[in-house]
Amino acid sequence: MSGWLAALCLVFGLVSWIGVGYLVLTYPPSSLTLAVFYPLFFLAITGMVVPIIHLLHRAFPVLTGGRPSRAVTLRQSVWAGLFVTSALGLQAERLRDPVLMVILGAILVLTETYLQQRGW
């Protein structure tokens, strides 16, 4: 993954954060605003995590088995966004539990490990 693509994802994440802020500050809570909020929050987290994972892949190439592709970096960023958005949704419903978070994290890590072992 090139640096300009990571920067583009960072800009996309910042724009998504602006959308989240606008939504939270201007509209009252309803089912429609929640339906817009969660995807925007997911895009914001994913966009902000892409450059971090890109830097981690460059700093620790041994852990990734060489130089990872763009697809691996984006997929791992999507996993992080999915985890944080799921934790936020569970917290909103007052269902978040540390054991549940560990299980969800383990499932995502095992899924990524499986996909890397298969060469995807």
Side-chain angles (χ1 to χ4, degrees):
M1 171 176 262
S2 60
W4 67 270
L5 187 59
L8 182 66
C9 288
L10 182 65
V11 169
F12 187 70
L14 290 173
V15 169
S16 296
W17 277 117
I18 291 169
V20 166
Y22 177 75
L23 185 70
V24 167
L25 293 175
T26 57
Y27 291 102
S30 69
S31 59
L32 180 62
T33 55
L34 282 178
V36 174
F37 173 77
Y38 283 118
L40 263 179
F41 187 77
F42 170 75
L43 291 173
I45 293 293
T46 302
M48 298 300 286
V49 170
V50 168
I52 296 169
I53 291 180
H54 174 65
L55 289 175
L56 285 174
H57 283 197
R58 290 187 60 171
F60 304 108
V62 172
L63 297 176
T64 60
R67 187 169 186 179
S69 66
R70 280 185 262 184
V72 172
T73 303
L74 291 174
R75 185 177 65 224
Q76 290 175 352
S77 300
V78 167
W79 290 133
L82 184 64
F83 179 77
V84 172
T85 305
S86 299
L88 180 71
L90 289 171
Q91 178 65 32
E93 295 297 324
R94 299 180 190 255
L95 295 173
R96 190 174 56 93
D97 183 37
V99 174
L100 185 61
M101 292 294 99
V102 169
I103 291 171
L104 180 61
I107 288 171
L108 294 177
V109 167
L110 289 173
T111 304
E112 177 62 27
T113 305
Y114 174 74
L115 291 174
Q116 284 188 2
Q117 292 293 325
R118 301 285 293 173
W120 292 343

